[in-house]
Amino acid sequence: ETYRGQFKEGERCGFGECIWPVSGLHYKGEWECDNFHGNGVLDAKEYHNKIHTGPWHYGVQHESGTTINYE
């Protein structure tokens, strides 16, 4: 994986972008304690045919977010 962004005490924290080339996942947004946390976009078109946009809570998409399915 490749991460570009802010760190705090050695963990991804603040705003950043991470790409996982093997799975094709791409996340751009806010982080806390090495987790997606706050607003962000997870592009999983290559992996799950989906894009998740909206708020995240420690790696879990909040129910008020939006998921677009590409079938």
Side-chain angles (χ1 to χ4, degrees):
E1 72 191 56
T2 301
Y3 175 78
R4 282 178 270 173
Q6 299 171 314
F7 286 90
K8 182 179 179 182
E9 298 176 6
E11 294 183 328
R12 294 172 282 199
C13 188
F15 188 83
E17 179 176 13
C18 194
I19 299 170
W20 293 267
V22 173
S23 65
L25 295 174
H26 177 207
Y27 176 79
K28 186 173 185 177
E30 297 172 296
W31 296 77
E32 188 171 314
C33 299
D34 267 346
N35 288 287
F36 311 158
H37 189 76
N39 288 313
V41 176
L42 177 64
D43 182 338
K45 283 189 288 188
E46 293 182 35
Y47 190 65
H48 289 293
N49 287 330
K50 298 179 182 182
I51 294 179
H52 303 287
T53 303
W56 297 81
H57 184 75
Y58 293 103
V60 177
Q61 185 185 19
H62 192 271
E63 60 190 44
S64 67
T66 301
T67 299
I68 300 170
N69 293 303
Y70 293 91
E71 300 283 337

